Amino acid sequence: MVAVADTVSLELDDIQSGALHERPSPYVGTYVLLRIDDRASGRELVRRLHPVVDSGRPSADPARDAWVTVAFTYQGLKALGVPRDSLESFAPEFREGMAARAAELGDVGESSPANWETPLGSPDVHVALAALSPDAPRLEAVVERARRARQELPGVEVIWRQDCYQLPTGRTSFGFKDGIGQPAVEGTGISGSNPGEPPIKAGEFILGYPDETGSLPPMPTPGVLGRNGTYIVFRKLHTRVAAYRRYLREKAATREEEALLGAKMVGRWQSGAPLALCSESDDPELGADPHRNNDFVYRDDLRGFKCPAGAHARRANPRDALDEDGSVNVRLHRMIRRGTSYGPMLPEGVLEDDGADRGIIFVFAGAHPKRQFEFVKTQWLNDGIFIGAPAEKDPLVGPNDGSGKFTIPQRPVRRRLQNVPPFVVTRGGEYCFVPGLRALRWLAELET
Amino acid sequence: MAASETTTARPGVSVGPTSEFSLFFHVKPGHGDDLREALRTLQNHPGYRPGEYGMAVATIHEARFVLFDDDTRLLFATSFDGPWDSYMEDFFTSGPTLALFDAVFQHVEGYEGLPDVAAVKAFVLSAQATAAAYARNYGGTVKEIRKAERVNKAFQRVLDDPAAGEGLQHPALKPLLDEASD
Ligand code: HEM
């Protein structure tokens, strides 16, 4: 069932490039949130942002690029005066907003919206801007362009700014290379890194095209507003790196064992080398090789001796591991991830918390916030029913409460980690809509 | 095309990891016999014959199709590991369930064939009724129960060995020894 790429003709010139764009590596970036106090100023902002936003087929050489993505929350669309029937045509989760979904998503206790960073989760968040670039001077240049767009607009207020970056190694705060596993998207020319996964239908990621069910995803109306748009979900996730390192130290007798336990929790070694391809020790060359580091399936390891079924990456994308269940179509639960790091890295070897805020800004892009992002988060990361381990959550990013378990299959006797504490705390986030370029113009020209 | 995600799903009642799922259909006039025949065919399918335990969907505990009211109505009732409403699109886009449902549901009213997943989903949701009471006698998922069966089978084989009594004396095996005497 190999789908042929480019069977669908995508209007790439109308799609903001942020969603489909492969990033330069390394890069620096910044996220800005804005509140619209005055409808006319809001529309003027959109008008001025229009030429700042990039579209089109991602440049062949991503390192030459710098770009801005603009997204709106439900409250933001309301503030711009989008008519009611149009507002009601958006995905229910988007309309509710992330704070309202907290109980469902496992954002409870320390991660609950009551403890989120201001203004995240509040109705003040209207517009989200992301600017990314290979280096600081080019970032400043794009940020400056975006800044000029909101100059002398008294009705538009900057309410949050978060700088972010990706290290040249691609590693994030727990020490692991991230951003490797991504789906290929039909019609974009972006080739997938996993030859075992035929390209996913464009409609799984961009609105207005058939998706994996063969239907058009529910699309906001009017068509000019919905078409070529995509939903993004962003979450600021604080990582407790010192606690994580201490936990591994406590459970392991040697540094090698520490590295192994860490790899078992993620499904990859720190270098990015997948356990499915090298289960004994890290292979940095494999981790660094984009042609090989995502070329694997789990068919030959259903019991998880190489990569535990409960490992983060295997939960988040079980590939063919659930094919025998007859009830899961993994292609309906894929996502484009555009996460970045924030905060300083905790220096290697340090086991005491230095009080710094560090982690990742998790970014999801897809056409189905519910059956992609929410499904993966609630059924696969926060729960273990699907692997026959209802008592286990994702050992790295799941909402563990200190009583978490994590089973590591091995011969002769499986190992089970007990009392897994929470290593990730949600600081806030939101569901956003990234309109196409024509839709941006439509928003700017609203006359309600 | 119908907007699949705006259809309001009404999840069944859950007990532990498992949720109940019941669908009530009206049989197309004159299709009672054909439907009975289709269900007989299903029953004779490898995996569905009594004692075979190999249904295409491995995450349901059991399934029954009940014709009632003189074969004018059909009940489909099952217990599913996980919230079934989260898996609706999965069912209707993955092979085994598709063929099975098509063979049976072509005989009930409101079913117009498979191609449009959103329509099939709406059709199924319109037939779903949530249980007023639901109880279970064990907490495990199908995966856990199958594992437990394998483990018990292995344990019984151990006990069949004359050396088992001696072997189970090690303090680490105390919980097994406690289960060994009957
Ligand atoms: C602080 C939180 C998180 C950290 C530190 C983290 C880290 C990682 C790492 C190290 C990998 C392996 C590298 C790769 O395949 O790219 C990975 C993969 C992945 N993660 Fe996360 N992650 C986090 C949260 C999440 C969340 C919330 C989701 C989804 C709701 C998610 C979805 C995925 C997916 C889909 C993959 C790719 C799996 C594959 O294709 O094999 N992650 N993550």
Side-chain angles (χ1 to χ4, degrees):
Chain A
M1 198 196 57
V2 177
V4 185
D6 290 303
T7 48
V8 167
S9 158
L10 282 178
E11 295 175 319
L12 286 170
D13 291 343
D14 194 48
I15 299 169
Q16 290 198 48
S17 65
L20 295 175
H21 211 298
E22 276 178 285
R23 268 88 175 280
S25 182
Y27 60 75
V28 289
T30 191
Y31 299 100
V32 174
L33 296 177
L34 305 151
R35 187 185 65 226
I36 299 169
D37 294 322
D38 170 71
R39 190 174 279 188
S41 304
R43 290 171 183 172
E44 177 60 17
L45 171 79
V46 178
R47 198 185 62 73
R48 293 187 195 173
L49 281 174
H50 188 271
V52 177
V53 167
D54 302 81
S55 74
R57 197 173 281 274
S59 145
D61 175 11
R64 300 181 56 83
D65 243 325
W67 66 94
V68 173
T69 303
V70 54
F72 301 88
T73 66
Y74 177 71
Q75 297 299 334
L77 295 179
K78 238 165 118 174
L80 285 173
V82 170
R84 192 194 170 100
D85 53 342
S86 172
L87 287 171
E88 285 173 358
S89 66
F90 281 83
E93 309 70 42
F94 168 79
R95 283 185 278 150
E96 277 184 53
M98 190 179 284
R101 307 289 298 161
E104 181 77 18
L105 293 174
D107 287 331
V108 295
E110 254 187 288
S111 288
S112 76
N115 298 319
W116 285 3
E117 191 175 308
T118 328
L120 301 177
S122 80
D124 282 354
V125 179
H126 292 166
V127 185
L129 293 179
L132 292 181
S133 160
D135 53 41
R138 273 182 280 185
L139 176 65
E140 271 322 305
V142 271
V143 169
E144 176 58 24
R145 279 201 285 159
R147 200 185 62 78
R148 275 202 299 271
R150 56 173 198 271
Q151 227 168 21
E152 288 161 32
L153 282 179
V156 175
E157 205 65 53
V158 174
I159 55 173
W160 191 73
R161 177 175 171 158
Q162 174 71 61
D163 291 328
C164 64
Y165 61 94
Q166 188 191 55
L167 290 178
T169 54
R171 304 222 181 172
T172 55
S173 55
F174 288 126
F176 290 84
K177 184 179 165 98
D178 200 351
I180 304 168
Q182 298 280 18
V185 184
E186 214 180 279
T188 61
I190 299 172
S191 56
S193 47
N194 176 11
E197 181 181 74
I200 306 281
K201 293 266 182 264
E204 289 292 316
F205 306 103
I206 306 292
L207 297 168
Y209 304 89
D211 66 17
E212 285 287 331
T213 71
S215 308
L216 289 173
M219 191 172 81
T221 55
V224 60
L225 175 60
R227 190 168 174 78
N228 294 325
T230 188
Y231 290 102
I232 61 163
V233 174
F234 79 88
R235 286 163 73 75
K236 181 174 180 181
L237 300 173
H238 169 73
T239 51
R240 291 189 163 139
V241 179
Y244 164 80
R245 288 180 187 169
R246 281 201 307 274
Y247 183 79
L248 290 186
R249 178 77 36 109
E250 199 183 290
K251 302 292 175 191
T254 62
R255 294 299 154 87
E256 288 72 32
E257 195 187 346
E258 248 174 67
L260 180 66
L261 288 183
K264 292 285 186 185
M265 286 162 81
V266 170
R268 291 182 184 270
W269 297 91
Q270 289 204 348
S271 74
L275 285 176
L277 296 180
C278 63
S279 55
E280 303 291 319
S281 59
D282 199 353
D283 177 352
E285 224 171 277
L286 171 60
D289 184 348
H291 297 293
R292 293 192 294 143
N293 67 12
N294 201 36
D295 184 1
F296 64 92
V297 288
Y298 296 116
R299 191 177 306 134
D300 65 337
D301 185 33
L302 291 181
R303 291 179 71 183
F305 289 114
K306 291 191 282 182
C307 178
H312 171 65
R314 182 162 170 171
R315 283 172 172 267
N317 178 15
R319 302 182 187 223
D320 57 350
L322 305 176
D323 284 3
E324 295 301 306
D325 285 7
S327 54
V328 178
N329 179 355
V330 72
R331 296 170 67 81
L332 301 182
H333 311 291
R334 302 289 286 122
M335 62 182 74
I336 292 175
R337 289 176 302 139
R338 296 292 179 223
T340 60
S341 290
Y342 76 88
M345 292 291 159
L346 187 65
E348 213 162 308
V350 174
L351 296 179
E352 285 310 312
D353 189 21
D354 61 357
D357 190 10
R358 60 172 59 83
I360 65 168
I361 308 290
F362 170 86
V363 179
F364 153 99
H368 296 276
K370 187 176 174 77
R371 78 159 154 77
Q372 294 171 325
F373 168 70
E374 289 199 349
F375 178 95
V376 171
K377 175 73 176 135
T378 61
Q379 302 307 311
W380 288 351
L381 303 187
N382 293 358
D383 206 313
I385 293 174
F386 79 112
I387 50 169
E392 298 189 23
K393 301 173 168 50
D394 188 304
L396 188 68
V397 317
N400 285 299
D401 61 2
S403 66
K405 299 183 201 324
F406 174 54
T407 304
I408 303 172
Q410 60 177 26
R411 292 192 173 92
V413 177
R414 61 101 175 106
R415 177 156 190 195
R416 182 165 285 167
L417 297 183
Q418 305 280 358
N419 306 323
V420 181
F423 296 123
V424 173
V425 180
T426 310
R427 290 264 195 260
E430 198 46 275
Y431 291 90
C432 302
F433 177 67
V434 180
L437 271 79
R438 278 196 299 272
L440 277 178
R441 206 169 303 126
W442 183 87
L443 286 167
E445 289 167 2
L446 275 171
E447 278 173 0
T448 50
Chain B
M1 256 165 269
S4 60
E5 281 173 13
T6 53
T7 315
T8 325
R10 294 152 301 164
V13 181
S14 291
V15 174
T18 307
S19 62
E20 55 84 22
F21 185 42
S22 309
L23 303 174
F24 295 86
F25 301 100
H26 292 271
V27 178
K28 281 181 185 156
H31 281 243
D33 288 347
D34 290 347
L35 181 50
R36 258 192 198 277
E37 187 52 37
L39 292 172
R40 230 184 329 264
T41 306
L42 174 68
Q43 183 80 80
N44 290 323
H45 201 70
Y48 291 76
R49 294 178 289 229
E52 292 195 354
Y53 310 115
M55 288 186 274
V57 177
T59 50
I60 58 177
H61 290 251
E62 86 295 310
R64 80 194 60 188
F65 292 87
V66 183
L67 277 161
F68 61 107
D69 282 354
D70 291 331
D71 293 1
T72 61
R73 307 286 320 271
L74 173 71
L75 160 68
F76 169 71
T78 186
S79 294
F80 178 75
D81 286 334
W84 58 261
D85 54 313
S86 300
Y87 287 88
M88 286 290 278
E89 275 100 349
D90 294 63
F91 293 145
F92 300 118
T93 56
S94 54
T97 340
L98 272 185
L100 188 159
F101 273 49
D102 196 46
V104 172
F105 292 150
Q106 56 174 295
H107 301 295
V108 306
E109 283 179 359
Y111 182 70
E112 278 150 25
L114 280 168
D116 188 340
V117 172
V120 176
K121 186 176 169 183
F123 155 75
V124 166
L125 287 177
S126 72
Q128 188 263 344
T130 299
Y134 179 57
R136 302 188 58 75
N137 256 332
Y138 55 85
T141 59
V142 175
K143 284 182 179 159
E144 288 170 288
I145 298 301
R146 286 182 169 172
K147 167 85 176 170
E149 278 181 348
R150 286 198 304 275
V151 171
N152 186 42
K153 219 163 150 188
F155 184 51
Q156 296 305 324
R157 275 174 56 203
V158 169
L159 296 185
D160 286 341
D161 190 312
E166 193 188 333
L168 287 171
Q169 292 305 318
H170 193 283
L173 302 183
K174 173 84 168 49
L176 285 179
L177 189 60
D178 291 345
E179 293 290 346
S181 45
D182 58 3

